[in-house]
């Protein structure tokens, strides 16, 4: 079978569904068209395109599911909050930096500091710097935290963009 012809058939079915406002089938034909494109890339050994389309499928079902990127954004906030509490950040002038040990008597402080870490992680959804005077921050001495902060901003930028595109697509249906 010829994958290009199959892709073209899905494309025509997608256009027909769009004209008749059949948005349920439109989404299904769009996903099938994208899956076929992905197979074409794999057959042609175009691995970058194949992997990018696989990533797009994984995080948002090719832009058809806005819940997936929203879930991944929330997961990244929690994951990076856990990482930041161990790599360090400042609350005002006080350094918060935990080691891998647990002390039951310190539970309330740990929960408070984890709350600060969640807020510190949450501010990385924004693609720009919040403020130099923000009460949660890092500095040059916390190189790992700064590197993780950069990675987190890039991950969140990709996920938030994917969420926005999928949500707009959802609202148009």
């Amino acid at each position: 079978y010829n994958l290009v012809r199959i892709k073209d058939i899905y494309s025509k079915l997608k256009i027909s569904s769009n004209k008749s406002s059949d948005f349920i089938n439109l989404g299904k034909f769009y996903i099938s068209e994208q899956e076929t494109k992905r197979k074409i890339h794999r057959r042609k050994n175009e691995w970058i395109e194949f992997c990018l389309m696989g990533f797009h499928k994984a995080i948002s079902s090719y832009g058809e599911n806005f819940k997936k990127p929203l879930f991944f954004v929330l997961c990244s906030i929690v994951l990076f909050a856990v990482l930041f509490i161990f790599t360090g950040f400042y609350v005002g002038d006080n350094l918060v930096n935990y080691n891998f040990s647990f002390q039951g008597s310190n539970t309330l402080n740990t929960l408070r500091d984890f709350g600060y870490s969640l807020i510190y992680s949450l501010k990385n959804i924004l693609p720009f710097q919040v403020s130099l005077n923000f009460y949660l921050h890092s500095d040059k001495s916390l190189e790992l935290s700064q590197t993780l902060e950069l990675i987190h901003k890039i991950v969140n930028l990709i996920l938030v963009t994917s969420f926005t595109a999928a949500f707009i697509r959802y609202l148009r249906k």
Side-chain angles (χ1 to χ4, degrees):
Y1 57 92
N2 185 346
L3 288 176
V4 175
R5 287 189 67 205
I6 293 171
K7 181 195 76 67
D8 290 341
I9 291 169
Y10 282 130
S11 181
K12 288 175 184 170
L13 289 169
K14 180 184 75 175
I15 291 167
S16 175
S17 296
N18 192 30
K19 285 180 182 175
S20 64
S21 298
D22 182 3
F23 297 116
I24 293 172
N25 285 323
L26 171 71
K28 290 178 182 178
F29 292 136
Y30 175 74
I31 289 172
S32 296
E33 178 187 21
Q34 297 304 308
E35 282 294 310
T36 308
K37 280 183 184 177
R38 190 163 179 254
K39 288 176 185 175
I40 291 169
H41 289 304
R42 185 179 65 216
R43 285 225 176 125
K44 290 182 174 180
N45 290 328
E46 296 171 338
W47 297 109
I48 293 174
E49 292 87 350
F50 176 75
C51 290
L52 285 174
M53 290 190 79
F55 181 70
H56 193 211
K57 175 185 178 182
I59 64 170
S60 69
S61 301
Y62 301 112
E64 287 293 312
N65 186 340
F66 70 89
K67 295 171 192 164
K68 276 178 142 180
L70 184 61
F71 171 76
F72 287 127
V73 165
L74 295 174
C75 287
S76 80
I77 289 169
V78 172
L79 172 70
F80 278 90
V82 170
L83 293 174
F84 289 135
I85 206 162
F86 291 107
T87 61
F89 64 94
Y90 284 94
V91 178
D93 294 331
N94 300 323
L95 176 65
V96 174
N97 192 351
Y98 280 71
N99 295 320
F100 288 105
S101 63
F102 178 75
Q103 295 174 342
S105 62
N106 208 14
T107 303
L108 288 177
N109 287 339
T110 302
L111 290 174
R112 182 198 66 215
D113 290 341
F114 185 69
Y116 286 140
S117 186
L118 280 171
I119 295 168
Y120 184 72
S121 180
L122 188 61
K123 80 180 181 86
N124 288 327
I125 287 179
L126 304 172
F128 51 86
Q129 188 171 354
V130 173
S131 167
L132 294 176
N133 296 326
F134 192 66
Y135 75 105
L136 301 172
H137 59 91
S138 64
D139 68 9
K140 293 177 192 173
S141 67
L142 301 171
E143 294 169 357
L144 183 56
S145 288
Q146 287 186 330
T147 303
L148 286 173
E149 193 172 347
L150 175 65
I151 292 168
H152 192 206
K153 283 186 181 199
I154 292 168
V155 166
N156 279 336
L157 184 62
I158 292 167
L159 292 172
V160 168
T161 302
S162 182
F163 165 77
T164 304
F167 192 66
I168 288 170
R169 195 178 184 109
Y170 170 78
L171 291 177
R172 288 186 178 164
K173 292 182 177 181

